[in-house]
Amino acid sequence: MLASLQTAILDWLSLYGAAATALWLVYSFILGACFGSFTTACVWRIPRGISIIWPPSSCPKCGHKLGPLENIPILGWLILRGKCKGCGQPISPRYIFIELATAILFTFTSYLALRGGEPVAVLIPWTLIVLSVGSTCTDCELRIIPDKFTYSAMILALLWSFLVPSEKMPPFHAFLLALASIAAIGLFCSCAAWAGKLMFKRDALGWGDVKFLMAAAGLTGVFGALFAMFSGSLFALLWLLFDAWKRGRLRRKFAFGPFLAAGAVLWLLIGPFVLKLLSPR
């Protein structure tokens, strides 16, 4: 099914050229903004045990139910000028930032997929982007990465490995590779978490972080997950040093998930070029 869809998309892009490419990227931007809005709802609802389907979106301060115009990603916040229509209280600008960032990342990865001649393969980075954005927000706010985020991403990773067409290997082999990648990174990161607990007498790598890296491995492979782990550690170290310089003391606890997410997203942007440089000619 997805192979036929990919062929149809490629034929359409070939037929209409630059206009079709521009339309595809605009579609990716709009879809990214919608998923950014959906992610903000998940970030609020899932940790609190609220259904992501019902009730409809409302102001958490006064309970005002959002109308159709208020629910439009990015534009809704601008139309309201950053204030709730019901109580007039400020709406955090993080909503528009999340929606805009997700839309930009969707568009860029969609462009990379087009350049690679596999537009349907963009489902894989899109899944990781939503996981990264959601995990960043919940870890910053509540110091957790919900299992519903990571387990859903693992399931989708296995599903995409089987359904997304690829010239590199048959679907079943791709499925087995994704499953093996998840298991390998799970074992490696679990050992790292236990070793860190023994060495530092506290959690150096949380289990939510381990599951995030397992999902990243299913979506990007072992190299992508390891890159996210080590680059995320570097980002965290640099931030800790800067934060210690500002505060005058070293922070003992912090959310590691956002740094792992930054590493995972960075791999999405530069991973294809890195692999191309490393591959034998």
Side-chain angles (χ1 to χ4, degrees):
M1 178 180 176
L2 291 184
S4 301
L5 176 61
Q6 177 151 283
T7 301
I9 292 172
L10 290 173
D11 289 343
W12 173 68
L13 291 168
S14 176
L15 181 63
Y16 293 101
T21 300
L23 186 60
W24 176 261
L25 296 179
V26 169
Y27 165 76
S28 299
F29 184 91
I30 294 172
L31 192 63
C34 292
F35 268 96
S37 179
F38 173 71
T39 303
T40 60
C42 291
V43 165
W44 173 260
R45 293 176 179 230
I46 287 176
R48 294 168 176 83
I50 305 172
S51 169
I52 61 173
I53 300 173
W54 190 264
S57 298
S58 60
C59 173
K61 298 173 184 175
C62 69
H64 165 71
K65 288 184 172 58
L66 274 62
L69 287 178
E70 297 168 84
N71 265 315
I72 299 175
I74 300 175
L75 293 179
W77 192 91
L78 295 174
I79 291 170
L80 293 170
R81 297 182 181 180
K83 293 183 179 180
C84 173
K85 189 176 180 180
C87 61
Q89 293 296 309
I91 303 172
S92 173
R94 79 171 187 176
Y95 293 103
I96 190 172
F97 290 148
I98 292 171
E99 292 165 359
L100 185 59
T102 308
I104 292 171
L105 289 171
F106 265 49
T107 305
F108 190 77
T109 50
S110 183
Y111 172 73
L112 292 179
L114 280 185
R115 283 192 58 182
E118 297 180 331
V120 174
V122 78
L123 291 170
I124 296 169
W126 282 358
T127 303
L128 185 56
I129 289 166
V130 172
L131 169 67
S132 298
V133 171
S135 299
T136 295
C137 294
T138 55
D139 208 14
C140 283
E141 182 180 358
L142 302 171
R143 296 293 190 272
I144 60 169
I145 298 178
D147 287 345
K148 287 186 178 180
F149 286 176
T150 51
Y151 288 156
S152 297
M154 287 185 219
I155 293 170
L156 286 174
L158 295 174
L159 183 65
W160 298 148
S161 70
F162 194 80
L163 293 181
V164 172
S166 173
E167 297 178 357
K168 298 176 183 178
M169 64 179 67
F172 186 65
H173 291 178
F175 175 84
L176 290 178
L177 179 61
L179 186 61
S181 298
I182 292 172
I185 288 297
L187 179 60
F188 175 78
C189 292
S190 296
C191 293
W194 288 323
K197 183 80 170 179
L198 290 173
M199 290 173 61
F200 303 112
K201 306 302 181 185
R202 63 175 184 270
D203 290 331
L205 188 66
W207 292 111
D209 301 327
V210 172
K211 294 169 190 173
F212 176 91
L213 289 168
M214 290 171 66
L219 293 163
T220 66
V222 170
F223 285 125
L226 290 177
F227 179 89
M229 183 177 182
F230 290 111
S231 61
S233 299
L234 177 61
F235 295 152
L237 177 61
L238 294 174
W239 177 81
L240 277 174
L241 292 175
F242 177 74
D243 182 67
W245 173 72
K246 282 186 63 178
R247 299 170 73 243
R249 64 183 186 278
L250 189 65
R251 189 184 296 265
R252 293 181 61 84
K253 292 184 179 181
F254 65 97
F256 190 36
F259 301 104
L260 293 177
V265 171
L266 181 61
W267 177 257
L268 288 180
L269 304 181
I270 70 170
F273 304 105
V274 172
L275 291 176
K276 189 175 180 180
L277 291 173
L278 294 177
S279 62
R281 298 184 180 181

